[in-house]
Amino acid sequence: MPMFRSIRNAIHSVYCIRDQFPRYMSELLSEEEAMGALFAVRFRYVIGIALFASALANLSNIDTIWGYLVNFIAIGIYFINTFLHLHILKKHSSNWKTKYDYISLFVDNVLITMTILNWYWIKGNGNPNFLVKTPLLIFYLLPLSLCLFQYRFSLVVFSFVCFLLSYYSFIAAALLDPDAIVSLDWFSYVLGDEIILLDALVSKPVIYLILVFAISYGIFRSLRMLLKFAASETQKTTLSRYFSPDLVSEIVSDPEVLGKGKRQQVTVLFSDIRGFTQFSELLDPEELSIFLTEFRRRMVRVIFQNKGSLDKFIGDAVMVTFGTPLPSEIPGEDSRNAVSAAKSMLEELKNWNEERKSLGQVEIRIGIGIHSGEVFCGSIGSEERMEYTVIGDTVNTASRIESACKELHSSLLISEVVWSEIGKPNEWERFEGILLPGREQKINLYAIQP
């Protein structure tokens, strides 16, 4: 039936949530489980002290040596089991760690059963109702509650099964007694010797079962929250390599924004190191890797400070976009951010060159080209590898403008579109009628005056 199938699927999804965890998270979860097990065992000492106090409070009700022995031997076994469990958990490598969790739960449930039987023998006067109606049944919640400290559904289920075995054994013992009376009278059931069989068979197990589901669902919610949190942090870490922190927060709040391919206005910045081919020939691969890493780190930092998004590294070149994935609502702001980022890149390079000169290293020069226009923006690629990028004539033009820096002997060139969007400032030098490679129409470029 559909209803039972959906219930089965829901239970399966709860108990198999661990399968969704990547390996590193499974290892972290195992460490947390180990810490939870240690805390649970230490908490057992608190429970043991409370049980000992309860035993002392009921000394007046015990009138046989057997009663004393069973009560305090059970408490003694409880503390010995707790000490042994703690000793096993403290070992760095032990095959008994996981196994003894179940053994300890089983011992706890057996000790509770022994205690109930002991009170039945010394105070039950042979009345089988004592086994079914004793308030000591609530003690079975203690080992069940300890399962909350660990993220293992199997421990919860195992503790519940132990309770069911003991409880239904009590009911069987009561019903097998020839003096047992089964009725439907609640007064006699609660205060007398009669048993309402259906209530005895269902009520307490159902309550315990509800608690089992509640505890299991609480564990499931914690694990699912951990999984979502880890996924979110992984996503943020990945995105932070390409987008500024402000944009990362917006993207995480609306992940679909990266998957929506669309046309939009974007400002594109290209940067390239001058004479990099000759420069790289003087360095061994390790030195070259260290150089590029430091260069990229410095450039990306100032790019992110100006709300830029790193599209890609192409060798020594850097492609940056402003207005992706979400364009600014303020007209011209993306272009202003791009120009500000370019100036910051040049300033950062100046500071780095001063450090390099003090170390006897050669200076680095870069060229930067900026253009603004309509592009296609979205995730492009195959199912095996997707890349969020922008494509279109605007991108090609920005790259060509950067290349023109060599011919015009400038470190920073912007198109007339960008110059207009930043307010047409007077301090920029105008180069008219520049024919860029691969283009038929000439364009005007602007370089900032020294």
Side-chain angles (χ1 to χ4, degrees), residues 74-306:
I75 293 175
I77 293 173
Y78 176 86
F79 277 106
I80 292 172
N81 176 54
T82 301
F83 175 79
L84 183 60
H85 195 179
L86 185 60
H87 178 70
I88 291 173
L89 290 176
K90 283 185 175 180
K91 288 187 175 181
H92 292 292
S93 59
S94 175
N95 295 327
W96 281 95
K97 281 186 177 182
T98 302
K99 296 177 183 177
Y100 206 86
D101 288 335
Y102 297 95
I103 294 173
S104 186
L105 279 176
F106 178 74
V107 171
D108 288 347
N109 281 277
V110 168
L111 292 177
I112 295 171
T113 301
M114 286 177 54
T115 303
I116 292 174
L117 289 173
N118 180 49
W119 282 103
Y120 167 66
W121 288 325
I122 64 177
K123 287 295 181 182
N125 296 323
N127 190 333
N129 283 271
F130 185 93
L131 297 173
V132 180
K133 302 177 183 179
T134 175
L136 295 177
L137 289 172
I138 200 171
F139 278 31
Y140 285 106
L141 290 177
L142 293 177
L144 182 63
S145 66
L146 291 175
C147 299
L148 280 168
F149 296 107
Q150 294 170 266
Y151 299 105
R152 286 157 59 190
F153 301 109
S154 55
L155 290 176
V156 180
V157 174
F158 181 77
S159 182
F160 180 60
V161 170
C162 289
F163 160 73
L164 290 181
L165 290 174
S166 297
Y167 180 70
Y168 282 120
S169 296
F170 293 155
I171 291 180
L175 294 177
L176 289 174
D177 191 294
D179 297 327
I181 303 172
V182 177
S183 74
L184 295 176
D185 182 32
W186 267 91
F187 183 84
S188 299
Y189 175 50
V190 175
L191 299 177
D193 297 335
E194 299 176 7
I195 299 174
I196 297 179
L197 184 59
L198 189 60
D199 181 77
L201 289 172
V202 176
S203 294
K204 290 186 180 68
V206 165
I207 292 173
Y208 278 72
L209 180 63
I210 291 172
L211 286 174
V212 166
F213 275 115
I215 293 173
S216 298
Y217 188 67
I219 295 174
F220 169 72
R221 292 265 302 178
S222 298
L223 293 178
R224 189 172 65 174
M225 189 180 301
L226 178 63
L227 189 62
K228 287 184 176 181
F229 179 76
S232 176
E233 288 302 306
T234 300
Q235 184 184 35
K236 283 184 178 180
T237 301
T238 302
L239 291 173
S240 64
R241 300 173 185 172
Y242 304 98
F243 301 99
S244 65
D246 293 338
L247 282 175
V248 168
S249 300
E250 294 186 41
I251 295 169
V252 170
S253 63
D254 183 16
E256 293 298 320
V257 71
L258 291 182
K260 298 174 183 176
K262 59 180 179 179
R263 291 182 176 275
Q264 67 180 63
Q265 189 79 10
V266 169
T267 302
V268 182
L269 179 152
F270 269 91
S271 170
D272 186 53
I273 298 177
R274 293 288 169 259
F276 179 74
T277 302
Q278 294 79 8
F279 171 77
S280 61
E281 291 175 352
L282 303 175
L283 303 176
D284 64 38
E286 184 178 357
E287 291 176 329
L288 182 60
S289 174
I290 294 172
F291 167 78
L292 283 176
T293 299
E294 179 64 12
F295 172 75
R296 291 173 176 179
R297 183 187 68 81
R298 289 173 175 268
M299 295 300 105
V300 169
R301 183 179 64 205
V302 296
I303 287 167
F304 285 174
Q305 288 173 354
N306 290 278

Side-chain angles (χ1 to χ4, degrees), residues 389-444:
T389 188
V390 297
I391 57 176
D393 183 64
T394 298
V395 179
N396 299 330
T397 302
S399 178
R400 300 290 188 272
I401 292 174
E402 183 275 319
S403 299
C405 288
K406 301 176 185 177
E407 301 174 10
L408 300 178
H409 307 289
S410 176
S411 297
L412 171 59
L413 289 174
I414 63 175
S415 66
E416 192 163 31
V417 175
V418 175
W419 180 72
S420 296
E421 290 183 349
I422 64 174
K424 301 180 179 181
N426 296 325
E427 67 269 19
W428 290 77
E429 181 182 359
R430 178 187 176 102
F431 293 93
E432 295 186 7
I434 305 298
L435 182 62
L436 300 175
R439 295 185 62 88
E440 297 181 357
Q441 295 182 347
K442 297 181 179 181
I443 66 172
N444 298 327

